[in-house]
Amino acid sequence: WLKVTAIDLVSLAKRFADIFFLVDSGVSASDFGQVRKVLEGLVNQLNIETSAYRLGLAQYGQDIKVEFLLNAYKTKEEVQNAVKSFHQRQLQPNEPRNLGNALEYASANFFTSEAGSRADQGYQQYLVVLSGKDSDDPVYKSSRLIKSEGITVVGVSLGASLKEMRLVATPPYVYPSVTNIVPPLKAIIEKEEEQIILTGGETVLTILLLLISHLCAPLNIPNRVRVGIVLYNEKPTAQVFLDTFDDKNELLNFIKILPYRGGGQNTGAALSFTRNKVFIKGRGSRKNKGIQQVAMVITDSESEDAVGKAAANLRRAGVTVYAVGVRDANQTQLEQIASYPPNKHVYNVESFVKLKALDDILQKSLCHNILHSAIAVSTRRSDIKEGCEQTDEADIFFLIDSGSIYPNDFHDMKKFMIEFLHTFRIGPQHVRLGVAKYADSPDLEFDLTTYSDASALENAVENIKQLGGGMETGRALEFMGPLFDNAKASRGHKVPKYLIVITDGKSSDEVKDPAAKVRAQGVTIYAIGVKDADEGELQEIAGDPKRTFFVNNFDALRPIKDDIITDICSTDACKDIPGDLIFLIDSSGSIYPEDYKKMKAFMKSVISKSIIGKNELHVGVMQFTTIQQIEFPLNHYHSKEEMSNAINAMQQIGGGTLTGEAITQVSKYFDVASGGRPDLRQRLIVITDGEAQDEVRGPAQVLRDKGVVVYAIGMVDANTTQLLEITGSPDRMYLERDFDALKDLESQVALELCDPDRECKKTEKADIIFLVDGSISITLPKFRSMQRFMSAIVNQTTVGEDLTHFGVILYSTNPNSVFTLKKHYSKPEVLKAIEALKSPYGDTYTGRALTYSIQYFDLKYGGRAQDQVPQILMVITGGDATDSYSLAAPSKALRDKGITVFSIGVEGANKTQLQIMASGDTSRVFYVDNFNALETLYKNITHVLCTSTKPACEKQQADLVFLIDQSSSIQPSDYDIMKNFTTELVRSFEVSEDLVRVGLAQFSSTFQDQFYLNQFYTEDKVTKHILAMNQLGGGTNIGLALDSIRKYFEAYRGSRRSTGISQNLVLITDGESQDDVEDPADHLRALGIEVFAIGIGDVHDLELLQITGTPERLFTVQNFGNLENIKQKVVDTICESKRPRQPGGKSTYNYCTIDIAMGFDISQRTGAPGEVLVSGHPKLQSFLPEIAHYISSVQGLCCVDPPPVKTSIAYLVVGSGGHILDDFNFEVYSEEVLKKVMTLKLEEPTYFNSSMLKSFEQKFSTQSNAGVKVLVIFSDGIDDDVMELKRESELLALLTVALEGARDPSQLQMVEFGRGFGYKLPLSIGMPGIGSTILKQIFLPLKCVFFQQGLPGQKGYPGFPGEEGVAVSAACGVDPRCRQRPGGVGAKESSLMNKNTGNAGWQEDEQAPGRQGVQEESREEPGGDQRGPGGDQEETRGDQEERAEEPAPGGTSRRASTRRNKQESRHQEGDRNQRTSWRAGTRGDTGTRGRAGGPAPGGTQEPEDEQEGRPQGGRRHQRRGRSWRAGTRGDTGTRGRAGGPAPGGDTGTRGRAGGPAEGYESNCPTGARVAVVGYSAYTKYLIRFQDYHRKKQLIEAVKSIALERTANRRQLGAAMRFVGQHVFKHVRAGVMMRKVAVFLSNGPSQDAEDIITAVMEYRGLDIVPAVISLRNAPAVRQAMEVGLQVSVSLDPCKRSEECAVIQKPEPPQQVDVDLVMVADSSREMQADEFTGVQQLLGSVVDQLAVSQSPRQTNNQARVAVVQQSGTQTPKVEFGLQTYQDRDLMRSQIQKMQQQGGSSGVALFVVVVGDRYSRTQVEELASLPVQQHLIYVGRLKADEQVYSICLVPVSEGINTYPPPSYKQSCEQLASQQEGQTFINE
């Protein structure tokens, strides 16, 4: 964001600058002469004058001599003369040349306003330094100082070293000679950089935009980084959204022309605007893909509105916020805006001059944040959690301020506690957590012993309520003392105790003494202050500044959490981890003394947090500048105090920064000769404040190759590239703004140092039995050593009921079990039992003891072998076995039982016997020659034990594909390393056909297949192929490779994705991609593939993050040699399963899958050579791709969260005997696979017989475990006994599609099973929309029923509601039929599911459901509280009360009526329709609910009265009987019965639907309702009928509708049809109810024919249309002139004269037509339907002006009626010349019996019910089809439906016959002599 203030006058001008030359007086005379020539040449070429370029000149020696300042001369001539008179100053012999002093003087005096500088007006400032030798004083600080002022320094050597020149100059402006220097100097000064000249004030907008331009320049836009810009004053405006530009140059050019806007400054409003309008998915945000969200706020003054809340909400939305203040910006506000900690995210400079100097710092920080921090922070948080899991025991209390905290802040505090507790292992024997809250008085929310697991704790924290009141923190601290006393008593032993106090203000009582008393109990207190907390008081509470934290808002608690947790966990995590650590610290002259002290404090703090000792951590310190100085080596001190004293005595050296040389020198101090211990962990920490003046990459690589892990901490001007070269990994690189940040790193670095990348940290789950020698040779002191050893081993494990168990067997002559594996489940209990052991004494019968021990690993004694828990026998012996001959057999028996034996021998133990017991595995044999050494032997054993007990890979079954970079940038030797690394990864898994399958491909500029998942099934074959691969070379197109690798995850390539087996892709690359990777990676992950990326060397972290989608699956190393270091980490990460498990062991994935198999019966084949599957069937060839695509496109039907429905398709081609001709496995739709199926060459025909069905049964049983299985057969006619096929098909869900020329298609329907609604509809390959039709048949009955038999009866999901019922109603008080009918009972349909599942209900009197679309943002209603992402909306209390008091007709309040109706609704099914308009993204209209399906086995069904008001599926919130969802409300209407629940589930909510008429005593609707839509080529809702209930609110809403510009063409007809079919779909019933549609248009429409269709539909729907066109539109006028005259009367009770056209019946229409009406009278037509047909025919006759002389020619209608029944001869009821009277026609129609035939000229088709497909009836109807085809649903005897068929005839709209048929008709006419009439 940019805050823009007023500027008096801004004018872009020619670019000028201020230039000052600083010349070394000690150069030779010849060099000085050259300098003068340079000056003269530059002055001659530049426009030098007061308003253009300005020039200043000085020379230096020991001090400064100023020749002239920038404002000394006003003209070019004056400057030229001054340069000519410039003379060299004579220096004294040996006079020093102090360039450092000169630079400092120049910074203070040359570039000020008084000296003529125009920096404050935006002019560039240049200092040109010409030096003859290296300075005699330090230049480090002064050179940094002058550059920090925004001055560009150019360095020219006249004898000085280039090393010093690079230190002095601004990169890259360093020149080795003065020769030909004028052209480059002129180019630098005139470089293309925007500047601004101000005549009335300082620059604001342009300088800020330049800053943004510089920040954006290095970013990769838009593939990896997207940029948005918001300008604001009083009001924010988005100039650039995140998705606006896809070209960086276009963005940079646009930034230069951004408009200036003056005004005030409402930063808070801008923050809110950016959160709501910019950082959203619709505007390009990719937060959901794991892409970091970063905002930078730039302002130059104090905000006029509050910023705290808006900034906190932005940060809560996951945005990292930087705040940059200039000039008058308010520091407090900047800190409120920015993310925590402020020292990393807040930048404030005094003027715009210094803002330029801030440019590089901001760019460095921002790029580091975007490219590295997101990954590094995730990695470090993972490390923290792993480290904290080593904290075995602790008691932690939170004491939280519950007074005047805002609800959002209180929520943040609870979120902080929840994240905190999930970092630890929670349990009664591990970490316990309690919470107390306080305001005026303290209150215990829950104690340490209340909850014993993390889940229960989380729920308890969520339910904490605020107290409210004052703030007495001291009283609350006193309250905590007894609680910690109780904790010690309940624990039974001493453990670490912690109290975390969170407060947001100053206490009203004293805190110092109460806090001191709590700390005296051994409690460590952390004090966190928020907002108005007093920092001094916080320190009194904590007692230590390092445990005191202060933040500006509660959302900043999360980063504090990491600091506190790290501090708590570092002690336990660092136990027993000996190693070497050396600090290499920068001691150059550029470091200020106070910063040097901060470095020393950092080293002392890290040491204080470590475990120092002779056998523990050793520490050394070396300083470096241009020289290196060792302060103390690793073996010099072994106590913290000695080290601390030595560090205090250190003195700063001063000098340059030769980091590379220092790394080389420090390397030798890790060697044994210098006190190093190479066999242990060795670490180096490099701390530097600037760029190294030498090369660091090579020395650092050599050091890391020795096994030393290097950390680098860079401050101020440190070079990020060099830091990465030093560490070799971004995970170990820290880039900080200043030395103050070191304090924040102390605990974090300490934890990482002691617990870095250990493959195994603690033994977490195992059965371990100690078999201990207690023979007579073991004296008591020796036995005590054994006990201490066992205790040390126990301490290195995690003991718990579900974790590690211990047992002890003592033996001498005879063995004895002291305690078994099931005796003790806590570490203190085990340690206590070991301490109580007593030696039995006797002989050493070790063999007998081994045999005895075997039984104690059985389940009877607590063994858990059946749960795959590792079992360990740890034999500890100090002598030769008496029965050595008996050792081999029990050792083998132990091994055969899966028990691992560790042999530990001391003193007199026999090493051969130890190896026998360990089965020859020397890694598990340990020997020491004395018992004192035994006590420390556990350190050697711990890692082996941990590795031995490490859990097996969770992904026992997996498909693992490698994608290997083979580009030319990889050296051949590195390529070989990469191949070897890949084979090592492969060897970490068990490769086989049933377990882990492996595939591999390579890429460079192109993609190269190697082997698919079904090619090799053994490790040897896989590794052999990998090692034999050759490198192709080329570029790096990762995007292409990711797209191409998708085929590897298809079933026919060996993938088992459709069966739910884990799919994994491992990408290994060494460079940045040359094409886009985001979309290809998204497509892969959308298929459920876990993508892992390994980047080597110069890779782009953000690009790899786009590929993986999460930093947890991203790995980087500096070079190929380091790949081995991450092998185990990669394997462990792959092994972590991501899918949640369901009861029964099957994943949710399986329940939400649909497998569809396709078979082909094409028995009629010609046998011609080269015939393929689709030969002779062109329609199959055309439509099969459409069908496969449609049925694979189902989305979102699964109601089990989170995975969506996954549809897989398989193909099976079967011969006549059931043998397989070709088989394709289940996989997602693939065009490539389908092409192979269609082009499959067949040697024999295929047949639809029982053998085919059995083959498919076998296929489903062996290849599919999906929740739903469907078989689709394309057939040219059945080839077996129908009854046999029916019996076989009942085992499958079977659909048949008749091919062209199929024999007796009706037989195909007879063998179908499990069809959905419309099951009577025959499916044929030629019918239009065949794909969508099949899709509907498959999926319509399957909504939310994806569970199979065998699951336990968990609470299920509510049954899916049936279709909307039709409400028939008349005007209340006028027609006695004015009462709403209950919906009919839903009819059960066959389901494609297993037969135990409940069926979704459906309504017989149904209306078609709305179409599924894209969800639109919900509109917030007045008084409503817009909810979160779920879109739910609740009515506020105020709005409820206001509505409740509105009187309903008859004087009853709405509230009372609501209660009464709620009670009535329980007894009368379907008394209200729940109506919600269907449109893009909203649910369809809720219809009458079907009968409840039965519960699954184990499930229960709630009584109906208990179901009232329960939220259904989490989608609604029931409040006061009103149903709310997605911001809309339905109209009152009939509601049908409930649909069935999902199997195993309870019946869901049956709360009533709300609406505007809800609560009325009467059902009579009153008043007008208004809806508004907007249209172009598409139509969308702006206001719905139910949105507003008050005119004032409605008018305001209409006024606020904004114009949306679009390039789409206007389609009025489509909009009219949308309104008729959707907006007026559900209206209030009654004769007095009027429906009016008014359309405003700005010109002609593109769809005149649709307007005609819409007008016809409106006539039938009784809607009055009107079109107001602002421009001439003849076609629209003609279409509307279909006999409609528009009159509107909004008062139904006072009918105006203008409304007569609406209220009077229309006269018969004068139509010149011969009309033949054909009625279906077959057996398929039910009796009540036939009665409805009779009424329909009669109503048509009523609307016609029937000819009085039918045997003569006139302009009136003649009518005939024919019946047809399919097999019988059609019967003519009466002909065109029979009757001349409508009454006689109606009478004859009423007398009709069910039989007849068909014929006609202009054929109108009225479709009743869903018996016939759209294809069938469309083929009958005249053109245009939409005007001759009418669907009326279901006709009943008491219903009247008025035909609109004759409108196009009466108005002459259409020509008959249609033009397309005219020629054919004329040919027919010429063949006939006269017209044929239908007569009796």
Side-chain angles (χ1 to χ4, degrees), residues 293 359 600 940 1126 1129 1384 1438 1459:
Q293 311 289 286
D359 189 352
K600 295 201 293 184
N940 304 70
I1126 64 168
K1129 190 173 184 180
R1459 287 196 297 267

Side-chain angles (χ1 to χ4, degrees), residues 1135-1154:
C1135 282
E1136 293 174 1
S1137 181
K1138 72 168 186 177
R1139 292 193 178 100
R1141 293 288 174 181
Q1142 293 289 332
K1146 292 187 177 180
S1147 67
T1148 302
Y1149 175 89
N1150 294 337
Y1151 295 115
C1152 290
T1153 54
I1154 302 173

Side-chain angles (χ1 to χ4, degrees), residues 860-873:
K860 176 182 177 181
Y861 298 103
R864 295 171 292 173
Q866 74 281 359
D867 297 327
Q868 283 75 51
V869 175
Q871 296 190 310
I872 308 289
L873 179 66

Side-chain angles (χ1 to χ4, degrees), residues 219 627 774 1267 1371 1386 1396 1507 1570:
L219 302 178
I627 63 171
N1396 66 303
Q1507 298 162 8
V1570 177

Side-chain angles (χ1 to χ4, degrees), residues 1388-1402:
K1388 292 207 293 186
E1389 285 289 323
S1390 296
S1391 171
L1392 296 177
M1393 297 299 302
N1394 295 335
K1395 299 180 179 60
N1396 66 303
T1397 61
N1399 301 310
W1402 70 294

Side-chain angles (χ1 to χ4, degrees), residues 93-133:
N94 300 320
E95 179 179 339
R97 283 134 76 174
N98 295 333
L99 178 56
N101 177 63
L103 291 172
E104 190 172 344
Y105 183 90
S107 176
N109 298 281
F110 292 169
F111 298 97
T112 64
S113 299
E114 294 76 14
S117 171
R118 297 166 293 176
D120 58 353
Q121 298 177 41
Y123 288 84
Q124 290 294 313
Q125 307 291 289
Y126 292 96
L127 176 67
V128 182
V129 177
L130 298 102
S131 174
K133 66 180 287 289

Side-chain angles (χ1 to χ4, degrees), residues 220-227 242-243 278-294 370 1076-1079 1082 1085 1102-1103 1105-1106 1109:
N220 189 328
I221 299 171
N223 291 338
R224 296 170 184 82
V225 179
R226 295 180 179 177
V227 175
L242 293 170
D243 58 355
V278 179
F279 283 108
I280 57 176
K281 183 178 180 181
R283 291 299 189 178
S285 172
R286 297 168 293 172
K287 179 184 176 183
N288 61 329
K289 297 180 181 179
I291 302 300
Q292 192 172 8
Q293 311 289 286
V294 180
I370 293 173
D1076 178 51
V1077 302
E1078 184 172 0
D1079 289 340
D1082 288 347
R1085 296 198 306 273
L1102 189 57
E1103 178 178 86
L1105 182 60
Q1106 286 180 312

